[in-house]
């Protein structure tokens, strides 16, 4: 896949933030805070537009957690086809794990066959605790 070059400072900062938090989903608000903390004076609407464009370009993953009304983003990096597989999301740290294994694909297919229900990966994430957070708990 061809990597797009982002020229605006805001987009560059978003990319930088995303790369530094690869395993973490973040809200638009967090990005706005980050960009401001870097001393860049951009308005919130511009940041939202950049986030949307970068999601469309496939650089960021945009999704809506079940337990929240606002969308969150995560840097996608090398993960492709995020529209086609589900994700697990840690309720503690927000980490998003790509379910790219065959088992997950078979699960979606079986549900379809068994219940006639189409799981839409873009709006579906499984909630739970990641291994790190579980280890920290015990
Ligand atoms: Zn994915
Ligand atoms: Zn976690």
């Amino acid at each position: 896949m061809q990597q797009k070059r982002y020229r605006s400072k805001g987009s560059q900062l978003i990319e930088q933030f995303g790369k530094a938090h690869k395993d973490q989903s973040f809200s638009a608000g967090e990005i706005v805070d980050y960009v401001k903390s870097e001393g860049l004076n951009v308005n919130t609407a511009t940041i939202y537009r950049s986030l949307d464009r970068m999601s469309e370009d496939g650089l960021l993953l945009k999704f809506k957690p079940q337990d929240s009304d606002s969308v969150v983003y995560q840097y996608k990096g090398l993960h492709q086809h995020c529209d086609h597989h589900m994700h697990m999301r840690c309720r503690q740290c927000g980490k998003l794990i790509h379910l790219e294994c065959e088992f997950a694909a078979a699960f979606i297919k079986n549900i379809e066959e068994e219940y006639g229900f189409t799981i839409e990966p873009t709006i579906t994430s499984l909630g739970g605790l990641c291994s790190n957070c579980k280890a920290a708990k015990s």
Side-chain angles (χ1 to χ4, degrees):
M1 196 183 83
Q2 199 195 339
Q3 281 285 356
K4 300 232 176 188
R5 300 284 305 157
Y6 293 99
R7 246 168 301 155
S8 88
K9 187 78 181 133
S11 301
Q12 281 170 16
L13 283 173
I14 294 171
E15 191 171 359
Q16 195 176 306
F17 183 91
K19 276 183 180 162
H21 302 83
K22 268 195 179 93
D23 290 331
Q24 207 73 38
S25 53
F26 49 83
S27 65
E30 285 173 77
I31 283 292
V32 171
D33 287 347
Y34 172 72
V35 168
K36 281 186 182 147
S37 77
E38 291 290 305
L40 192 69
N41 193 16
V42 285
N43 67 48
T44 310
T46 308
I47 294 294
Y48 274 79
R49 260 203 309 278
S50 298
L51 284 167
D52 272 338
R53 207 183 54 229
M54 291 166 86
S55 304
E56 278 163 28
D57 289 345
L59 194 77
L60 294 177
L61 194 62
K62 180 183 181 181
F63 62 98
K64 198 173 158 301
Q66 284 153 326
D67 55 355
S68 160
D69 282 335
S70 49
V71 296
V72 291
Y73 303 87
Q74 183 168 329
Y75 186 71
K76 203 149 113 181
L78 291 173
H79 291 283
Q80 296 301 321
H81 312 299
C82 281
D83 293 350
H84 300 288
H85 56 245
M86 292 191 298
H87 299 85
M88 299 178 284
R89 185 168 179 272
C90 177
R91 63 173 159 82
Q92 191 92 28
C93 67
K95 178 179 179 167
L96 197 75
I97 300 159
H98 302 258
L99 271 171
E100 291 165 305
C101 60
E102 275 174 35
F103 170 75
F107 174 76
I108 292 179
K109 193 163 166 276
N110 287 353
I111 293 290
E112 174 87 55
E113 284 168 6
E114 191 77 16
Y115 301 94
F117 186 87
T118 304
I119 295 176
E120 295 176 8
T122 49
I123 56 167
T124 307
S125 63
L126 303 176
L129 275 178
C130 75
S131 50
N132 280 346
C133 292
K134 237 170 17 200
K137 268 199 152 183
S138 56

